[in-house]
Amino acid sequence: DKQKSWTPPRISFQEACENPVSFYSQFILTRTPVVLYWKNTNAEDLNDENHSKKLKLDADAKRSKQNEDFPEELEWLRQIYWLRSLSALNEVSKDSLVDVEFRNDVKEAFGKDQKKHGVRFEDFCKDMLDTESEQGTLQYMTTQTPTPIDVTDQDNDPDLVQSVFSPPLEQIKSEIPVQLPFANNLLVHSINLWVGRNPMPAETGQPSKSWSTSGLHHDFHDNIYFLLEGTKRFRIFSPDFAETLPMHGRVRKVHANGRIEYEGHPKVNEVGLDEMTLSKIEVVFAQQKLDDLEENQASEEEIRKAEEILEDALDRLSKNEVNGKESEVSESEDGSEPEVVMHPEWFCKIDSFQATTEKGLVIGEVELAGSRNEALYLPTGWFHEVLSGPGLHSALNYWFHPPSASAAYDDIYCGFS
């Protein structure tokens, strides 16, 4: 029979950290999803359908004792998993304003950006931890807008740059590792906390109503997803199916590293840089090369060639700027009505179950449990529907800029880091 499903490989955090080069060559370079775990987990635990029912809301005492067992070399992992205590995080981040997604009832899927509202983190935590209230089951704290930070350069010119820490993590950013030892050559894009709560089966009378779904979609970055609390099931599909799955957007290209491009957006290379940005980088490199030659009193011939390279780079930048402006005019003045997008372009029009039954696609399946200290590495472009189980569920995820498909370990962005 033709294979219909598969399970991602598993590797311990210890093994991954001991040899990050091997982890890169086995999984990141080959764009292979993999589950990371702290301790060996027996088969009964992995197949325990009732495991999520045993989890208690915000079980601080149990989690605290569990965290004490982390060995010294995994201290960074302890820093991540203390975030499973929602009440402890609320003590330091209660005044943070977070974007929360709302749904009308427990049958509705999350993943609709137009329903996000700003909420004080303290109020959000109150709803999450109040098991007597239904309000918490209708909310989900998902992707946040990273906080801008003021940076002053060498010329004392202030500039706003994007922090990698999203609310409510800004207050504790010194306590959270920015780089992960087993993926320390990846460049972080953002770090997010995800929190939600689903009704327990006894509350609904139907176990299926105790699970919520993210909807089937893909991301534009490599994802390392640490489950802190609860149970989540990932149903994943390769980027190879981008043109088979019905998307809300029109797929233009799937890069070799899995990054997916859509019509109506600037063309980018596989690490996410558009032609304008590439032209600017080229000019900076060319100018820097010319300055170095002049400073070191290079020959007239070397300087002349460097000047020609810089002039060519400036010409390309000028043409890209003109093309960019013409593109903006043609898109805004073509007389057509703007398309109303109810769903993000990177979301599918069907769910993962329809993808297997109607499209016959091969699916990867994995269940993560907060009590097992597990994480999932999911490369860019991999489609996934995340089903969250009963009770409180929370996760910390790292989004990384995806590397080039064939890059060496020490130059994964081909000089653009």
Side-chain angles (χ1 to χ4, degrees):
D1 291 342
K2 196 173 182 180
Q3 182 189 21
K4 290 295 182 182
S5 67
W6 58 279
T7 303
R10 294 172 63 85
I11 184 173
S12 70
F13 284 114
Q14 293 96 322
E15 184 179 350
C17 292
E18 286 170 2
N19 196 338
V21 177
S22 176
F23 183 85
Y24 173 76
S25 62
Q26 285 186 65
F27 305 111
I28 298 176
L29 185 61
T30 61
R31 319 309 287 150
T32 304
V34 59
V35 175
L36 296 106
Y37 63 90
W38 172 36
K39 288 184 175 179
N40 287 325
T41 309
N42 58 48
E44 287 99 17
D45 258 355
L46 286 173
N47 297 315
D48 185 359
E49 292 291 333
N50 296 315
H51 174 73
S52 57
K53 299 178 183 178
K54 303 173 186 175
L55 298 177
K56 296 180 180 179
L57 290 176
D58 207 38
D60 294 336
K62 177 182 177 183
R63 298 309 188 197
S64 177
K65 183 178 185 304
Q66 196 174 42
N67 283 356
E68 290 175 2
D69 296 334
F70 285 116
E72 186 176 347
E73 64 270 19
L74 294 182
E75 174 63 25
W76 62 272
L77 202 54
R78 186 204 310 270
Q79 292 174 307
I80 287 176
Y81 278 109
W82 86 265
L83 291 170
R84 59 177 26 129
S85 173
L86 200 57
S87 58
L89 178 58
N90 183 44
E91 289 181 11
V92 293
S93 300
K94 61 182 180 182
D95 292 326
S96 289
L97 188 66
V98 296
D99 293 329
V100 177
E101 196 169 326
F102 286 78
R103 59 181 177 178
N104 296 315
D105 57 59
V106 295
K107 297 178 183 178
E108 188 176 347
F110 288 109
K112 300 177 181 179
D113 286 339
Q114 72 272 19
K115 289 190 176 182
K116 282 188 177 181
H117 301 282
V119 177
R120 285 183 74 244
F121 188 61
E122 182 179 34
D123 297 331
F124 172 75
C125 288
K126 182 179 178 181
D127 287 336
M128 286 298 109
L129 299 175
D130 184 3
T131 58
E132 301 299 320
S133 171
E134 182 191 37
Q135 189 62 26
T137 65
L138 304 179
Q139 303 177 43
Y140 191 25
M141 191 177 80
T142 60
T143 312
Q144 304 292 304
T145 301
T147 306
I149 56 177
D150 192 354
V151 175
T152 301
D153 62 20
Q154 294 178 349
D155 298 322
N156 293 319
D157 293 328
D159 191 16
L160 285 179
V161 299
Q162 178 178 290
S163 168
V164 299
F165 294 97
S166 301
L169 302 175
E170 321 99 305
Q171 284 83 355
I172 57 166
K173 58 187 178 183
S174 62
E175 305 296 327
I176 304 173
V178 178
Q179 284 190 312
L180 304 176
F182 59 90
N184 55 14
N185 59 339
L186 293 179
L187 185 64
V188 178
H189 172 268
S190 62
I191 304 173
N192 295 274
L193 183 68
W194 307 68
V195 183
R197 177 165 65 84
N198 290 324
M200 301 301 286
E203 300 173 40
T204 64
Q206 299 181 36
S208 61
K209 291 184 179 180
S210 295
W211 290 77
S212 61
T213 174
S214 66
L216 183 59
H217 66 285
H218 72 82
D219 299 323
F220 295 93
H221 298 88
D222 280 20
N223 188 2
I224 297 181
Y225 189 95
F226 293 85
L227 185 59
L228 306 176
E229 183 74 64
T231 302
K232 289 182 183 274
R233 293 171 181 166
F234 284 76
R235 296 170 58 82
I236 62 179
F237 301 90
S238 166
D240 293 340
F241 297 132
E243 296 182 358
T244 303
L245 289 165
M247 306 298 296
H248 284 284
R250 298 192 305 274
V251 175
R252 176 167 59 209
K253 181 178 181 179
V254 180
H255 289 275
N257 67 348
R259 186 183 183 93
I260 300 174
E261 272 190 58
Y262 288 88
E263 297 288 350
H265 296 274
K267 294 181 179 180
V268 297
N269 65 4
E270 61 183 349
V271 300
L273 299 177
D274 58 36
E275 292 181 0
M276 180 75 74
T277 303
L278 287 169
S279 295
K280 291 177 180 178
I281 292 174
E282 189 178 12
V283 168
V284 170
F285 283 174
Q287 183 66 64
Q288 184 177 8
K289 178 67 174 177
L290 177 59
D291 291 343
D292 289 344
L293 290 173
E294 291 177 340
E295 184 179 346
N296 294 318
Q297 298 181 343
S299 68
E300 291 184 3
E301 178 65 16
E302 288 178 306
I303 292 177
R304 184 186 62 79
K305 288 182 179 180
E307 288 174 337
E308 290 177 354
I309 292 174
L310 175 59
E311 186 176 346
D312 290 342
L314 287 168
D315 285 343
R316 280 190 289 274
L317 175 59
S318 178
K319 289 177 181 178
N320 281 326
E321 287 175 341
V322 171
N323 292 337
K325 290 178 181 178
E326 289 177 349
S327 176
E328 289 176 7
V329 171
S330 64
E331 288 178 8
S332 59
E333 299 182 0
D334 63 359
S336 62
E337 290 294 325
E339 182 181 358
V340 178
V341 179
M342 296 302 294
H343 296 273
E345 294 169 304
W346 54 94
F347 272 70
C348 299
K349 295 179 180 179
I350 61 176
D351 61 32
S352 62
F353 297 93
Q354 292 171 301
T356 55
T357 57
E358 298 175 10
K359 298 292 184 179
L361 303 186
V362 178
I363 186 173
E365 297 180 286
V366 61
E367 179 176 298
L368 303 182
S371 62
R372 295 197 295 258
N373 300 316
E374 294 171 316
L376 175 66
Y377 167 65
L378 197 64
T380 184
W382 276 80
F383 295 92
H384 52 288
E385 180 174 10
V386 186
L387 305 174
S388 301
L392 185 70
H393 52 88
S394 63
L396 184 76
N397 95 293
Y398 286 68
W399 269 322
F400 297 92
H401 293 280
S404 176
S406 57
Y409 174 81
D410 56 357
D411 186 22
I412 62 174
Y413 300 109
C414 299
F416 292 118
S417 296

